[in-house]
């Protein structure tokens, strides 16, 4: 099987990865045939998947700009994925030159490609770590060097929490991170849900089954379950809403019905 130079030696390229599938949905080039095949199968059930991913990225960029406008100059992006168009450090550093950004992902391709993209950028770095081990993330040399936890930060958990099953206690990990944040910090979340998908649930379930089959289940949570991740935060207006509805730049930011699947929100620690 093909193994391009950017692919780390230690990865199994016969198994699809959610970060490379996501890269494919977004039109990126860091994916293999196994990833494309799984992504195409999911798209047979939900042809609008790329629209959902684009709405997710667009929300993320607006939320980063919002944080920068609020005076935040440190960003911790966990589940950052394979770098693509309009990355957090580009948006943050354009809005606030010198802003510090630390990316975290457990996928070796995401980490290797982030290292390549960030070479020479003194103000941004990447950590190979797991969301479920918050203390390892916080104690990493990269976070220690770039993030001052005594000042507000923006913590991004964008399109990651729906890959963590309840049995692995995502709520506990999110609470542990919250407890490490200074007052005035922001939590930025997007999460998949059956709510809002313009399809009967049984069609959408076909796409969810693709993720189950690659042993990386996609956990569809209700709006109420997603809201629980914001325990201890005050919601920033307009609250937890479909992604295009969160502070759109223009009145008609995105009209594709798929874009309204799932939820996005920003909370602020008191
Ligand atoms: C769909 S991508 C989202 C990328 C980016 N946040 C965005 O929204 O554009 C999800 C990323 O989360 C990462 N991920 C999933 N579970 C994780 C975990 N437990 N710890 C760290 N990263 C994780 C995956 O490797 C993948 O790169």
């Amino acid at each position: 099987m093909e193994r391009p130079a950017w692919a780390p030696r230690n990865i199994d390229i016969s198994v699809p990865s959610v970060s490379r599938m996501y890269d494919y949905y977004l039109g990126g080039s860091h994916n293999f045939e196994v990833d494309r095949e799984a992504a195409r199968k999911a798209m047979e059930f939900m042809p609008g998947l790329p629209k959902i991913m684009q709405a997710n990225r667009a929300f993320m960029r607006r939320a980063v700009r919002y944080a920068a406008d609020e005076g935040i100059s440190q960003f911790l992006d966990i589940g950052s994925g394979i770098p693509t168009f309009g990355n957090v450090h580009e948006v943050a550093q354009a809005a606030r030159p010198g802003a510090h950004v630390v990316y975290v992902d457990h996928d070796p391709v995401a980490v290797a490609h982030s290292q390549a993209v960030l070479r020479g950028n003194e103000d941004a770095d990447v950590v190979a770590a797991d969301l479920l081990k918050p203390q390892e993330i916080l104690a990493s040399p990269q976070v220690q060097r770039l993030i001052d936890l005594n000042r507000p930060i923006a913590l991004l958990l964008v399109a990651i929490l729906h890959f963590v099953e309840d049995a692995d206690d995502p709520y506990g990990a999110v609470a542990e991170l919250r407890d490490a944040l200074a007052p005035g910090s922001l939590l930025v979340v997007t999460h998949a849900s059956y709510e809002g998908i313009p399809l009967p649930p049984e069609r959408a379930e076909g796409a969810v089954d693709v993720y189950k089959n690659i042993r990386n289940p996609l956990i569809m949570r209700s709006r109420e379950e997603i809201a629980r991740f914001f325990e201890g935060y005050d919601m920033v207006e307009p609250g937890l809403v479909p992604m295009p509805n969160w502070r759109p730049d223009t009145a008609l930011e995105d009209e594709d019905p798929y874009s309204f699947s799932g939820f996005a929100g920003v909370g602020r620690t008191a």
Side-chain angles (χ1 to χ4, degrees), residues 22-256:
Y22 182 68
D23 178 71
Y24 174 70
Y25 294 130
L26 285 171
S29 55
H30 292 86
N31 49 71
F32 300 112
E33 190 46 37
V34 280
D35 308 308
R36 296 189 281 275
E37 210 175 285
R40 281 194 292 258
K41 194 162 288 166
M43 280 161 66
E44 279 172 26
F45 295 99
M46 279 178 65
L49 274 171
K51 280 283 166 199
I52 300 178
M53 311 307 170
Q54 285 160 18
N56 178 66
R57 293 292 294 184
F59 158 76
M60 187 193 80
R61 289 191 289 268
R62 294 197 304 280
V64 168
R65 250 180 265 125
Y66 169 81
D69 287 348
E70 291 289 294
I72 288 184
S73 58
Q74 342 182 64
F75 297 79
L76 179 59
D77 181 4
I78 306 180
S80 47
I82 296 170
T84 176
F85 168 75
N87 297 300
V88 169
H89 73 284
E90 291 159 342
V91 179
Q93 293 175 348
R96 292 189 84 85
H100 286 183
V101 179
V102 176
Y103 292 119
V104 179
D105 208 290
H106 68 177
D107 180 297
V109 170
V111 173
H113 195 49
S114 301
Q115 280 164 342
V117 165
L118 297 176
R119 205 155 289 143
N121 190 330
E122 288 288 300
D123 297 319
D125 211 336
V126 57
V127 184
D130 198 307
L131 164 68
L132 298 174
K133 296 187 175 149
Q135 298 311 326
E136 265 177 38
I137 296 174
L138 298 172
S140 67
Q142 296 89 327
V143 168
Q144 294 286 314
R145 181 172 75 84
L146 290 169
I147 307 277
D148 174 4
L149 288 169
N150 295 312
R151 291 193 301 116
I153 75 163
L155 169 63
L156 279 75
L157 297 174
V158 178
I160 175 176
L161 291 168
H162 49 224
F163 291 117
V164 187
E165 296 175 84
D166 282 353
D168 290 325
D169 194 18
Y171 292 99
V174 171
E176 219 174 308
L177 287 163
R178 178 201 60 216
D179 291 346
L181 303 185
S185 295
L186 299 178
L187 171 67
V188 178
V189 168
T190 61
H191 198 299
S193 178
Y194 282 123
E195 292 178 42
I197 291 180
L199 285 175
E202 40 310 344
R203 270 291 294 287
E205 267 166 31
V208 171
D209 281 344
V210 171
Y211 286 86
K212 208 182 284 164
N213 293 339
I214 64 166
R215 293 176 194 280
N216 226 317
L218 181 58
I219 316 299
M220 305 296 258
R221 292 193 171 93
S222 67
R223 183 176 178 283
E224 210 175 307
E225 289 166 329
I226 299 166
R228 277 182 44 217
F229 285 114
F230 287 97
E231 222 172 85
Y233 290 89
D234 295 326
M235 292 309 286
V236 167
E237 282 297 316
L240 189 60
V241 293
M243 295 179 286
N245 293 348
W246 197 90
R247 295 178 180 248
D249 289 333
T250 57
L252 297 174
E253 172 100 15
D254 196 336
E255 287 183 287
D256 189 289

